[in-house]
Amino acid sequence: MIFKYTFGNPFHTESAVLQIPSQSTPLPEKFGSFTCFSETNPVPKTQPLSQSSHKAQYLCGDEPAAFLWRYKMQEADRIFGLGENVRGMNRRGNIFESYCSDNPHHTEDCKSLYGAHNFLIIAPEAASPFGIFFDYPGRIVFDLGFSQADTISVIAPKAAISVYIITAEDDASESAFTDICSQFRKLTGTSYIPPRWAFGYMQSRWGYRTAEEIRAVADEYRKSDIPLEALFLDIDYMDSFQDFTVDSKAFPEFNRFVAQMAEDELHLVPIIDAGVKINKGYPVYEEGLKKGFFCADKSGDPQRPFTAAVWPGVCHFPDFLNKDARNWFGKNYRTLLECGIEGFWNDMNEPALFYTEEGLQKAFKEIDGFKNVNMGIGEYFRFTDTTNLSNRISDYKSFFHKVSKDTAGDFAAESPAVSKGNPEDKDTTYVCHNDVHNLYGFNMTRSASEAIDELMPEKRILLFSRASCIGAHRYGGIWTGDNQSLWQHLKMNVSMMPSLNMCGFLYSGADIGGFGSDVSRELLLRWLQFAVFTPLMRNHSAMGTRAQEAFRFEKPAEFAAVIEARYRLLPYLYSEFMKAALNDGMYFKPLCFAYPKDSRAAATEDQLLAGESIMCAPVVEQNATGRYVYLPEPMRMVTFGGRDKSRASTEEAFAFEDLPAGDHWINVPKDKAVFFIRPGHAVPVAELPESGLINTASVSEQKLTLLSCPAAGSASKSVTYELYSDDGESKDYLNPKNYRTLTAEC
């Protein structure tokens, strides 16, 4: 059941697709309490802190709270959700902020990352779980037992918000967690589905500057006999970092280059950034300015849009909350689609801002004041702060979006100059970007998706984004942003996956090996072992770091073996992903979602269920030869690697061990993939070609081996598996011919 509570006149975010009537009765006590603060009911001054601050009041960032939800917890209550965030699966005991943030150097104390996913599941110790979704477009604070160990406080600066409470259809059912998630997904819409080739292994690096460099990377992968599906083009492929352009010197005859890569069965995936370079003669800039499609500054003058610097220098920013601007920007993807491009990644769309001219001039002035000064500790820290110009809240508060008055609700801008706008336009108004900040990346991805669907209605195109919020999952996948080559970030990748799935982001993954810092050979191998199971499998790194293409390390055959394991599992991984997407299910789940009465499963946060049949337990510690695993029930452990010409058959390439429920130490070789099959389940695996190219096109689903684990105590000696298989390109998802039942003898 879904119950909606509405306060004030909320901004119409379009995160939800179901129309749910608002409740007129008070919130039942078992779901906590709502409070809206106003002049007659001011923010209390003696309440616990909502974040580290000397002010003893509820704060949301630097603003007093206007809305508060409080919930009292018992000692063993757990909290799941919030999608892309730091720390473990159980979010209890920490404080988080939903505010899309460009923060590549995040550690455990980070409160917000690139996505803003305001959905939680509360699992009380002695009651049924329930979900709660805060449909709100800007900064919102989640104090999950941080200020008070027994209290959740969710705080927003405007009392204009929709809140949805979701309960399981059958509170006593062991599937209550997944039922809540399924209802939430129905509320917010069907997850994006990529083409089948997007489940292959992909290589990216910021620093591939020319077509020759791209070709060289592809050639080395082929020479090393390591599978490769796609290569990514970061910002250097553009002409002066201008969206929808190609540097003709670095990439001459781009159409021909794309075609040549396609002949080699490789896809090219270019980046698109949010900022549009201010450059006379650049068509995207000229047209956007002429039609008033950029975000406004405080004047509201469409010929003087908001300006800030990103990669190209000073830029304007498309007003993605404006439907007409969204349609205009999206249609520009046609330029690259017509070159044969079949995938895109949207970046810098929090949006990231390097600086504004106003902030830069202020910094220069402040720096001048430090000349010839004997700087003590106070002066030194004030001096270093002057150069911290990126992504400032003051800058986010200085630009505006044009929206319909019906959409704006109580979020209409207070600036008289902007609110006035065009006196003849009575149907639109402006909202301050900071108040709706989390919607920007969502609507950039929407812009691309809607336009591509119109331009290529029958074909699936790969599309994923850095910034997102609830609702963006309908239009594209996401990667988890700029991470680091740290074991901690591998652990974070593991814990994020089910939380993202809860929020609808099924096509997701991290930058394998880490984007920043220098990866070790061992870390990259262990990360790849986990990424075998993640839908998005992309190795990505930053300019200036150690080159981390798999062929660059000693014993490249070990990397090939792990990546080939991905292709062997492709029939299962793709089938489970598609069934989850089409049935509003989860691809990744915490153990406790399947074993809700098992306290050990509830405490296990480094093991995941991948689809219905597999439990994976990645190695996330340096220099470890294996790890301890907890099995909630007897399972069959499978260890396997890449193709081996010395084996007589696919079956002989797999090692099996049946293990009882309980704790086990398992050996995990660096050149193998290890997973566990749940009892009564099966996993289809493909045979790989004995020689030659391995990619998604070469993996046949016509000849499969079904690995299985018999159900305990079952008299049946067979296990069935429902395989989903389609052409991987069209959108004929609901064809009954896409399903077939496989049977394995145990």
Side-chain angles (χ1 to χ4, degrees):
M1 298 291 290
I2 303 177
F3 306 92
K4 180 181 180 181
Y5 296 85
T6 302
F7 304 90
N9 188 9
F11 190 94
H12 185 44
T13 66
E14 299 187 74
S15 291
V17 296
L18 289 184
Q19 298 299 313
I20 306 290
S22 294
Q23 296 290 308
S24 57
T25 56
L27 182 71
E29 185 178 350
K30 65 179 180 178
F31 298 131
S33 63
F34 296 123
T35 305
C36 293
F37 302 113
S38 62
E39 291 183 4
T40 57
N41 180 34
V43 181
K45 300 296 183 182
T46 57
Q47 294 291 344
L49 305 182
S50 64
Q51 62 181 45
S52 299
S53 169
H54 65 282
K55 297 179 181 179
Q57 66 179 44
Y58 285 113
L59 293 174
C60 189
D62 58 352
E63 300 180 71
F67 168 85
L68 168 68
W69 176 67
R70 298 188 78 201
Y71 177 84
K72 284 286 186 180
M73 294 184 287
Q74 300 300 313
E75 187 172 350
D77 289 4
R78 291 164 289 142
I79 307 169
F80 300 98
L82 291 185
E84 180 184 303
N85 249 307
V86 298
R87 305 188 184 96
M89 295 180 205
N90 183 358
R91 304 296 192 185
R92 182 169 180 167
N94 299 301
I95 189 166
F96 303 92
E97 295 182 9
S98 273
Y99 193 80
C100 296
S101 302
D102 176 16
N103 183 0
H105 303 290
H106 49 273
T107 51
E108 277 195 20
D109 60 342
C110 175
K111 295 182 177 68
S112 57
L113 288 177
Y114 299 91
H117 307 131
N118 304 339
F119 176 56
L120 296 171
I121 290 183
I122 314 299
E125 180 180 9
S128 300
F130 67 93
I132 185 164
F133 168 47
F134 299 88
D135 191 359
Y136 188 81
R139 185 189 300 272
I140 185 167
V141 171
F142 294 83
D143 186 336
L144 307 181
F146 178 79
S147 301
Q148 279 184 300
D150 67 345
T151 303
I152 299 174
S153 299
V154 178
I155 309 146
K158 288 184 181 289
I161 185 171
S162 294
V163 182
Y164 297 82
I165 303 287
I166 305 173
T167 60
E169 298 291 346
D170 180 0
D171 287 345
S173 170
E174 291 195 359
S175 62
F177 285 112
T178 52
D179 179 42
I180 290 167
C181 289
S182 180
Q183 290 187 68
F184 177 64
R185 298 273 299 289
K186 286 180 171 64
L187 172 68
T188 56
T190 301
S191 296
Y192 159 78
I193 295 174
R196 186 171 178 267
W197 66 259
F199 289 80
Y201 176 70
M202 301 185 283
Q203 178 63 57
S204 180
R205 181 172 173 85
W206 173 26
Y208 297 152
R209 295 183 179 275
T210 66
E212 286 72 20
E213 288 185 44
I214 294 288
R215 283 196 184 95
V217 171
D219 289 345
E220 288 300 322
Y221 266 102
R222 297 296 194 232
K223 289 177 185 176
S224 301
D225 211 19
I226 301 174
L228 182 66
E229 201 79 29
L231 284 154
F232 281 65
L233 305 179
D234 212 314
I235 56 175
D236 294 303
Y237 83 93
M238 301 179 193
D239 179 6
S240 302
F241 307 126
Q242 296 174 132
D243 282 337
F244 312 113
T245 68
V246 176
D247 183 340
S248 59
K249 292 182 179 178
F251 291 86
E253 299 183 272
F254 187 68
N255 295 44
R256 184 182 177 191
F257 175 57
V258 175
Q260 288 173 340
M261 291 292 103
E263 288 174 6
D264 292 338
E265 300 191 49
L266 288 169
H267 299 267
L268 292 175
V269 184
I271 195 171
I272 303 293
D273 284 342
V276 172
K277 183 177 182 178
I278 299 173
N279 184 14
K280 289 185 178 181
Y282 170 36
V284 179
Y285 162 73
E286 296 280 9
E287 188 176 9
L289 187 65
K290 179 181 179 180
K291 295 185 177 180
F293 286 156
F294 295 121
C295 292
D297 70 1
K298 294 177 182 179
S299 72
D301 183 349
Q303 296 305 304
R304 290 196 305 159
F306 170 74
T307 301
V310 203
W311 300 115
V314 289
C315 294
H316 295 323
F317 295 81
D319 186 356
F320 291 116
L321 273 63
N322 177 333
K323 181 179 179 180
D324 293 334
R326 201 162 57 233
N327 181 270
W328 159 75
F329 189 86
K331 291 295 175 59
N332 281 285
Y333 285 79
R334 181 201 304 266
T335 303
L336 294 167
L337 289 170
E338 290 177 346
C339 293
I341 293 298
E342 298 178 304
F344 301 92
W345 51 308
N346 288 343
D347 198 6
M348 305 294 284
N349 54 354
E350 294 72 35
L353 309 177
F354 289 174
Y355 64 84
T356 61
E357 190 63 31
E358 180 181 354
L360 195 61
Q361 294 306 316
K362 182 180 178 182
F364 286 147
K365 184 176 180 180
E366 290 178 356
I367 288 171
D368 284 342
F370 287 100
K371 288 181 178 179
N372 303 318
V373 171
N374 180 14
M375 290 190 289
I377 185 171
E379 292 84 1
Y380 173 74
F381 285 120
R382 286 197 298 274
F383 173 76
T384 56
D385 188 57
T386 61
T387 59
N388 184 18
L389 299 174
S390 299
N391 308 320
R392 288 189 168 187
I393 300 301
S394 58
D395 292 332
Y396 289 133
K397 290 181 176 180
S398 68
F399 69 100
F400 300 82
H401 299 273
K402 186 178 182 179
V403 300
S404 71
K405 289 182 178 179
D406 290 341
T407 295
D410 292 341
F411 285 74
E414 298 177 0
S415 168
V418 172
S419 296
K420 183 177 180 181
N422 181 355
E424 297 180 359
D425 187 355
K426 298 180 180 180
D427 296 325
T428 63
T429 187
Y430 287 87
V431 296
C432 176
H433 170 81
N434 191 60
D435 291 336
V436 295
H437 174 76
N438 294 337
L439 298 179
Y440 196 79
F442 163 16
N443 281 283
M444 181 183 180
T445 302
R446 179 182 180 182
S447 168
S449 176
E450 290 179 339
I452 291 170
D453 280 346
E454 185 177 336
L455 295 168
M456 307 187 76
E458 302 301 323
K459 188 179 179 66
R460 290 185 238 171
I461 297 293
L462 172 60
L463 180 63
F464 62 96
S465 171
R466 191 168 77 173
S468 64
C469 69
I470 301 295
H473 68 281
R474 301 193 297 268
Y475 301 104
I478 61 172
W479 89 100
T480 56
D482 297 347
N483 57 4
Q484 301 289 311
S485 298
L486 303 171
W487 290 91
Q488 177 194 25
H489 280 199
L490 169 55
K491 295 177 187 177
M492 196 183 301
N493 183 193
V494 175
S495 63
M496 274 187 195
M497 290 299 100
S499 297
L500 285 169
N501 273 222
M502 288 171 57
C503 298
F505 294 96
L506 300 186
Y507 189 75
S508 57
D511 286 344
I512 298 168
F515 176 71
S517 307
D518 295 331
V519 72
S520 69
R521 181 181 186 277
E522 180 190 13
L523 176 57
L524 181 57
L525 272 169
R526 292 303 193 192
W527 210 316
L528 282 167
Q529 286 178 327
F530 174 61
V532 162
F533 302 97
T534 62
L536 171 59
M537 189 184 191
R538 181 182 73 151
N539 180 335
H540 184 43
S541 57
M543 183 187 298
T545 64
R546 180 184 190 178
Q548 62 187 47
E549 294 87 356
F551 60 78
R552 296 191 185 275
F553 297 85
E554 63 266 30
K555 298 181 181 179
E558 293 189 352
F559 291 86
V562 174
I563 295 169
E564 286 173 0
R566 161 64 165 229
Y567 284 88
R568 284 195 163 182
L569 281 173
L570 182 64
Y572 172 81
L573 301 176
Y574 183 74
S575 179
E576 292 299 299
F577 177 94
M578 293 299 294
K579 288 187 287 188
L582 296 174
N583 298 302
D584 298 314
M586 295 176 67
Y587 171 80
F588 277 124
K589 292 191 287 286
L591 293 193
C592 64
F593 277 35
Y595 306 98
K597 296 181 180 180
D598 188 327
S599 59
R600 284 291 307 280
T604 301
E605 298 208 340
D606 59 353
Q607 300 172 209
L608 296 177
L609 298 176
E612 291 301 316
S613 302
I614 284 179
M615 185 190 77
C616 57
V619 173
V620 294
E621 300 289 344
Q622 186 173 355
N623 294 323
T625 58
R627 56 161 294 166
Y628 282 101
V629 295
Y630 171 68
L631 304 185
E633 57 184 334
M635 295 186 186
R636 176 166 289 173
M637 185 173 75
V638 181
T639 303
F640 72 109
R643 59 187 174 190
D644 186 342
K645 299 174 186 177
S646 66
R647 303 284 186 180
S649 66
T650 299
E651 292 92 329
E652 292 183 19
F654 293 82
F656 303 97
E657 184 175 358
D658 290 331
L659 298 173
D663 295 291
H664 303 273
W665 169 264
I666 63 166
N667 181 53
V668 183
K670 293 186 178 69
D671 62 342
K672 303 290 183 185
V674 176
F675 65 86
F676 299 82
I677 305 178
R678 299 173 64 193
H681 290 75
V683 176
V685 295
E687 292 187 11
L688 301 181
E690 292 184 1
S691 62
L693 188 64
I694 295 176
N695 60 11
T696 53
S698 71
V699 175
S700 172
E701 294 181 346
Q702 298 307 310
K703 188 177 181 181
L704 300 173
T705 299
L706 205 58
L707 311 181
S708 63
C709 178
S714 173
S716 174
K717 294 185 178 181
S718 65
V719 176
T720 61
Y721 178 80
E722 186 179 43
L723 179 76
Y724 178 96
S725 177
D726 59 21
D727 63 14
E729 296 181 356
S730 71
K731 299 176 182 178
D732 186 19
Y733 306 128
L734 303 181
N735 191 329
K737 294 181 179 179
N738 293 342
Y739 294 89
R740 59 190 172 105
T741 300
L742 308 177
T743 303
E745 297 300 322
C746 299

PDB file of all heavy atoms in Angstrom, residues 290-311:
ATOM      1  N   LYS A 290      19.933  32.547 -28.604  1.00  0.00           N
ATOM      2  CA  LYS A 290      18.863  33.179 -29.377  1.00  0.00           C
ATOM      3  C   LYS A 290      17.484  32.765 -28.868  1.00  0.00           C
ATOM      4  O   LYS A 290      16.556  33.603 -28.785  1.00  0.00           O
ATOM      5  CB  LYS A 290      19.019  32.808 -30.849  1.00  0.00           C
ATOM      6  CG  LYS A 290      17.944  33.398 -31.757  1.00  0.00           C
ATOM      7  CD  LYS A 290      18.170  32.962 -33.206  1.00  0.00           C
ATOM      8  CE  LYS A 290      17.085  33.528 -34.116  1.00  0.00           C
ATOM      9  NZ  LYS A 290      17.288  33.108 -35.529  1.00  0.00           N
ATOM     10  N   LYS A 291      17.333  31.505 -28.502  1.00  0.00           N
ATOM     11  CA  LYS A 291      16.026  30.998 -28.099  1.00  0.00           C
ATOM     12  C   LYS A 291      15.778  31.084 -26.594  1.00  0.00           C
ATOM     13  O   LYS A 291      14.717  30.671 -26.117  1.00  0.00           O
ATOM     14  CB  LYS A 291      15.876  29.548 -28.567  1.00  0.00           C
ATOM     15  CG  LYS A 291      15.855  29.425 -30.092  1.00  0.00           C
ATOM     16  CD  LYS A 291      15.596  28.003 -30.541  1.00  0.00           C
ATOM     17  CE  LYS A 291      15.495  27.920 -32.060  1.00  0.00           C
ATOM     18  NZ  LYS A 291      15.233  26.531 -32.533  1.00  0.00           N
ATOM     19  N   GLY A 292      16.747  31.615 -25.843  1.00  0.00           N
ATOM     20  CA  GLY A 292      16.561  31.773 -24.402  1.00  0.00           C
ATOM     21  C   GLY A 292      16.520  30.462 -23.650  1.00  0.00           C
ATOM     22  O   GLY A 292      15.774  30.323 -22.671  1.00  0.00           O
ATOM     23  N   PHE A 293      17.347  29.494 -24.076  1.00  0.00           N
ATOM     24  CA  PHE A 293      17.307  28.157 -23.494  1.00  0.00           C
ATOM     25  C   PHE A 293      18.345  27.929 -22.394  1.00  0.00           C
ATOM     26  O   PHE A 293      18.488  26.804 -21.917  1.00  0.00           O
ATOM     27  CB  PHE A 293      17.493  27.104 -24.586  1.00  0.00           C
ATOM     28  CG  PHE A 293      16.278  26.924 -25.463  1.00  0.00           C
ATOM     29  CD1 PHE A 293      16.409  26.422 -26.751  1.00  0.00           C
ATOM     30  CD2 PHE A 293      15.004  27.237 -24.997  1.00  0.00           C
ATOM     31  CE1 PHE A 293      15.307  26.237 -27.565  1.00  0.00           C
ATOM     32  CE2 PHE A 293      13.885  27.057 -25.805  1.00  0.00           C
ATOM     33  CZ  PHE A 293      14.035  26.561 -27.093  1.00  0.00           C
ATOM     34  N   PHE A 294      19.072  28.980 -21.997  1.00  0.00           N
ATOM     35  CA  PHE A 294      20.049  28.816 -20.932  1.00  0.00           C
ATOM     36  C   PHE A 294      19.484  29.318 -19.604  1.00  0.00           C
ATOM     37  O   PHE A 294      18.567  30.156 -19.583  1.00  0.00           O
ATOM     38  CB  PHE A 294      21.341  29.561 -21.261  1.00  0.00           C
ATOM     39  CG  PHE A 294      22.075  29.016 -22.458  1.00  0.00           C
ATOM     40  CD1 PHE A 294      22.344  29.816 -23.563  1.00  0.00           C
ATOM     41  CD2 PHE A 294      22.499  27.697 -22.485  1.00  0.00           C
ATOM     42  CE1 PHE A 294      23.020  29.320 -24.669  1.00  0.00           C
ATOM     43  CE2 PHE A 294      23.174  27.184 -23.585  1.00  0.00           C
ATOM     44  CZ  PHE A 294      23.435  27.997 -24.684  1.00  0.00           C
ATOM     45  N   CYS A 295      20.054  28.810 -18.505  1.00  0.00           N
ATOM     46  CA  CYS A 295      19.622  29.257 -17.179  1.00  0.00           C
ATOM     47  C   CYS A 295      19.864  30.757 -17.025  1.00  0.00           C
ATOM     48  O   CYS A 295      20.878  31.284 -17.491  1.00  0.00           O
ATOM     49  CB  CYS A 295      20.377  28.492 -16.094  1.00  0.00           C
ATOM     50  SG  CYS A 295      19.940  26.736 -15.999  1.00  0.00           S
ATOM     51  N   ALA A 296      18.938  31.425 -16.356  1.00  0.00           N
ATOM     52  CA  ALA A 296      18.992  32.877 -16.212  1.00  0.00           C
ATOM     53  C   ALA A 296      19.862  33.279 -15.027  1.00  0.00           C
ATOM     54  O   ALA A 296      20.008  32.536 -14.055  1.00  0.00           O
ATOM     55  CB  ALA A 296      17.583  33.425 -16.019  1.00  0.00           C
ATOM     56  N   ASP A 297      20.430  34.482 -15.100  1.00  0.00           N
ATOM     57  CA  ASP A 297      21.066  35.053 -13.916  1.00  0.00           C
ATOM     58  C   ASP A 297      20.021  35.890 -13.182  1.00  0.00           C
ATOM     59  O   ASP A 297      18.824  35.839 -13.484  1.00  0.00           O
ATOM     60  CB  ASP A 297      22.321  35.854 -14.286  1.00  0.00           C
ATOM     61  CG  ASP A 297      22.023  37.148 -15.018  1.00  0.00           C
ATOM     62  OD1 ASP A 297      20.835  37.472 -15.241  1.00  0.00           O
ATOM     63  OD2 ASP A 297      22.991  37.842 -15.391  1.00  0.00           O
ATOM     64  N   LYS A 298      20.456  36.692 -12.209  1.00  0.00           N
ATOM     65  CA  LYS A 298      19.506  37.419 -11.374  1.00  0.00           C
ATOM     66  C   LYS A 298      18.700  38.453 -12.138  1.00  0.00           C
ATOM     67  O   LYS A 298      17.640  38.875 -11.690  1.00  0.00           O
ATOM     68  CB  LYS A 298      20.255  38.090 -10.222  1.00  0.00           C
ATOM     69  CG  LYS A 298      20.869  37.091  -9.249  1.00  0.00           C
ATOM     70  CD  LYS A 298      21.664  37.790  -8.156  1.00  0.00           C
ATOM     71  CE  LYS A 298      22.296  36.769  -7.226  1.00  0.00           C
ATOM     72  NZ  LYS A 298      23.115  37.397  -6.158  1.00  0.00           N
ATOM     73  N   SER A 299      19.197  38.877 -13.300  1.00  0.00           N
ATOM     74  CA  SER A 299      18.485  39.890 -14.072  1.00  0.00           C
ATOM     75  C   SER A 299      17.279  39.320 -14.796  1.00  0.00           C
ATOM     76  O   SER A 299      16.329  40.038 -15.102  1.00  0.00           O
ATOM     77  CB  SER A 299      19.427  40.527 -15.105  1.00  0.00           C
ATOM     78  OG  SER A 299      19.698  39.609 -16.158  1.00  0.00           O
ATOM     79  N   GLY A 300      17.317  38.015 -15.092  1.00  0.00           N
ATOM     80  CA  GLY A 300      16.245  37.418 -15.860  1.00  0.00           C
ATOM     81  C   GLY A 300      16.309  37.732 -17.332  1.00  0.00           C
ATOM     82  O   GLY A 300      15.428  37.328 -18.097  1.00  0.00           O
ATOM     83  N   ASP A 301      17.349  38.422 -17.769  1.00  0.00           N
ATOM     84  CA  ASP A 301      17.507  38.794 -19.176  1.00  0.00           C
ATOM     85  C   ASP A 301      17.984  37.574 -19.964  1.00  0.00           C
ATOM     86  O   ASP A 301      19.080  37.064 -19.719  1.00  0.00           O
ATOM     87  CB  ASP A 301      18.527  39.933 -19.295  1.00  0.00           C
ATOM     88  CG  ASP A 301      18.702  40.429 -20.727  1.00  0.00           C
ATOM     89  OD1 ASP A 301      18.196  39.770 -21.655  1.00  0.00           O
ATOM     90  OD2 ASP A 301      19.368  41.464 -20.908  1.00  0.00           O
ATOM     91  N   PRO A 302      17.180  37.075 -20.924  1.00  0.00           N
ATOM     92  CA  PRO A 302      17.580  35.866 -21.666  1.00  0.00           C
ATOM     93  C   PRO A 302      18.845  36.059 -22.492  1.00  0.00           C
ATOM     94  O   PRO A 302      19.469  35.079 -22.902  1.00  0.00           O
ATOM     95  CB  PRO A 302      16.371  35.591 -22.565  1.00  0.00           C
ATOM     96  CG  PRO A 302      15.647  36.878 -22.663  1.00  0.00           C
ATOM     97  CD  PRO A 302      15.863  37.578 -21.355  1.00  0.00           C
ATOM     98  N   GLN A 303      19.241  37.298 -22.755  1.00  0.00           N
ATOM     99  CA  GLN A 303      20.472  37.553 -23.496  1.00  0.00           C
ATOM    100  C   GLN A 303      21.677  37.697 -22.575  1.00  0.00           C
ATOM    101  O   GLN A 303      22.791  37.939 -23.043  1.00  0.00           O
ATOM    102  CB  GLN A 303      20.306  38.802 -24.366  1.00  0.00           C
ATOM    103  CG  GLN A 303      19.250  38.647 -25.456  1.00  0.00           C
ATOM    104  CD  GLN A 303      19.514  37.440 -26.347  1.00  0.00           C
ATOM    105  OE1 GLN A 303      20.586  37.315 -26.928  1.00  0.00           O
ATOM    106  NE2 GLN A 303      18.529  36.538 -26.446  1.00  0.00           N
ATOM    107  N   ARG A 304      21.452  37.580 -21.274  1.00  0.00           N
ATOM    108  CA  ARG A 304      22.555  37.606 -20.310  1.00  0.00           C
ATOM    109  C   ARG A 304      22.390  36.432 -19.345  1.00  0.00           C
ATOM    110  O   ARG A 304      22.134  36.614 -18.154  1.00  0.00           O
ATOM    111  CB  ARG A 304      22.564  38.923 -19.527  1.00  0.00           C
ATOM    112  CG  ARG A 304      22.956  40.131 -20.349  1.00  0.00           C
ATOM    113  CD  ARG A 304      23.327  41.286 -19.429  1.00  0.00           C
ATOM    114  NE  ARG A 304      22.250  41.584 -18.486  1.00  0.00           N
ATOM    115  CZ  ARG A 304      22.442  42.236 -17.328  1.00  0.00           C
ATOM    116  NH1 ARG A 304      23.655  42.602 -16.978  1.00  0.00           N
ATOM    117  NH2 ARG A 304      21.417  42.491 -16.547  1.00  0.00           N
ATOM    118  N   PRO A 305      22.534  35.205 -19.854  1.00  0.00           N
ATOM    119  CA  PRO A 305      22.326  34.036 -18.992  1.00  0.00           C
ATOM    120  C   PRO A 305      23.421  33.933 -17.923  1.00  0.00           C
ATOM    121  O   PRO A 305      24.464  34.590 -17.982  1.00  0.00           O
ATOM    122  CB  PRO A 305      22.401  32.859 -19.964  1.00  0.00           C
ATOM    123  CG  PRO A 305      22.328  33.444 -21.326  1.00  0.00           C
ATOM    124  CD  PRO A 305      22.873  34.823 -21.222  1.00  0.00           C
ATOM    125  N   PHE A 306      23.158  33.036 -16.976  1.00  0.00           N
ATOM    126  CA  PHE A 306      24.145  32.738 -15.939  1.00  0.00           C
ATOM    127  C   PHE A 306      25.416  32.193 -16.588  1.00  0.00           C
ATOM    128  O   PHE A 306      25.360  31.394 -17.528  1.00  0.00           O
ATOM    129  CB  PHE A 306      23.567  31.704 -14.973  1.00  0.00           C
ATOM    130  CG  PHE A 306      24.568  31.140 -14.009  1.00  0.00           C
ATOM    131  CD1 PHE A 306      25.035  31.900 -12.947  1.00  0.00           C
ATOM    132  CD2 PHE A 306      25.053  29.844 -14.163  1.00  0.00           C
ATOM    133  CE1 PHE A 306      25.962  31.378 -12.057  1.00  0.00           C
ATOM    134  CE2 PHE A 306      25.969  29.313 -13.272  1.00  0.00           C
ATOM    135  CZ  PHE A 306      26.426  30.093 -12.218  1.00  0.00           C
ATOM    136  N   THR A 307      26.553  32.632 -16.071  1.00  0.00           N
ATOM    137  CA  THR A 307      27.849  32.244 -16.624  1.00  0.00           C
ATOM    138  C   THR A 307      28.733  31.671 -15.527  1.00  0.00           C
ATOM    139  O   THR A 307      28.846  32.250 -14.442  1.00  0.00           O
ATOM    140  CB  THR A 307      28.551  33.464 -17.253  1.00  0.00           C
ATOM    141  OG1 THR A 307      27.727  33.999 -18.275  1.00  0.00           O
ATOM    142  CG2 THR A 307      29.894  33.068 -17.850  1.00  0.00           C
ATOM    143  N   ALA A 308      29.339  30.532 -15.804  1.00  0.00           N
ATOM    144  CA  ALA A 308      30.341  29.942 -14.911  1.00  0.00           C
ATOM    145  C   ALA A 308      31.294  29.133 -15.773  1.00  0.00           C
ATOM    146  O   ALA A 308      30.990  28.795 -16.924  1.00  0.00           O
ATOM    147  CB  ALA A 308      29.691  29.062 -13.853  1.00  0.00           C
ATOM    148  N   ALA A 309      32.456  28.840 -15.228  1.00  0.00           N
ATOM    149  CA  ALA A 309      33.480  28.135 -16.003  1.00  0.00           C
ATOM    150  C   ALA A 309      33.476  26.644 -15.706  1.00  0.00           C
ATOM    151  O   ALA A 309      33.274  26.219 -14.559  1.00  0.00           O
ATOM    152  CB  ALA A 309      34.858  28.713 -15.694  1.00  0.00           C
ATOM    153  N   VAL A 310      33.687  25.862 -16.774  1.00  0.00           N
ATOM    154  CA  VAL A 310      33.957  24.431 -16.637  1.00  0.00           C
ATOM    155  C   VAL A 310      35.120  24.139 -17.590  1.00  0.00           C
ATOM    156  O   VAL A 310      35.996  24.980 -17.784  1.00  0.00           O
ATOM    157  CB  VAL A 310      32.693  23.581 -16.938  1.00  0.00           C
ATOM    158  CG1 VAL A 310      32.806  22.213 -16.251  1.00  0.00           C
ATOM    159  CG2 VAL A 310      31.431  24.250 -16.399  1.00  0.00           C
ATOM    160  N   TRP A 311      35.182  22.966 -18.209  1.00  0.00           N
ATOM    161  CA  TRP A 311      36.325  22.587 -19.043  1.00  0.00           C
ATOM    162  C   TRP A 311      36.630  23.593 -20.162  1.00  0.00           C
ATOM    163  O   TRP A 311      37.799  23.920 -20.393  1.00  0.00           O
ATOM    164  CB  TRP A 311      36.101  21.203 -19.665  1.00  0.00           C
ATOM    165  CG  TRP A 311      35.909  20.101 -18.681  1.00  0.00           C
ATOM    166  CD1 TRP A 311      34.796  19.353 -18.494  1.00  0.00           C
ATOM    167  CD2 TRP A 311      36.869  19.612 -17.728  1.00  0.00           C
ATOM    168  NE1 TRP A 311      34.978  18.438 -17.489  1.00  0.00           N
ATOM    169  CE2 TRP A 311      36.256  18.571 -16.999  1.00  0.00           C
ATOM    170  CE3 TRP A 311      38.183  19.959 -17.414  1.00  0.00           C
ATOM    171  CZ2 TRP A 311      36.901  17.867 -15.994  1.00  0.00           C
ATOM    172  CZ3 TRP A 311      38.837  19.260 -16.414  1.00  0.00           C
ATOM    173  CH2 TRP A 311      38.195  18.234 -15.717  1.00  0.00           C
TER     174      TRP A 311
END
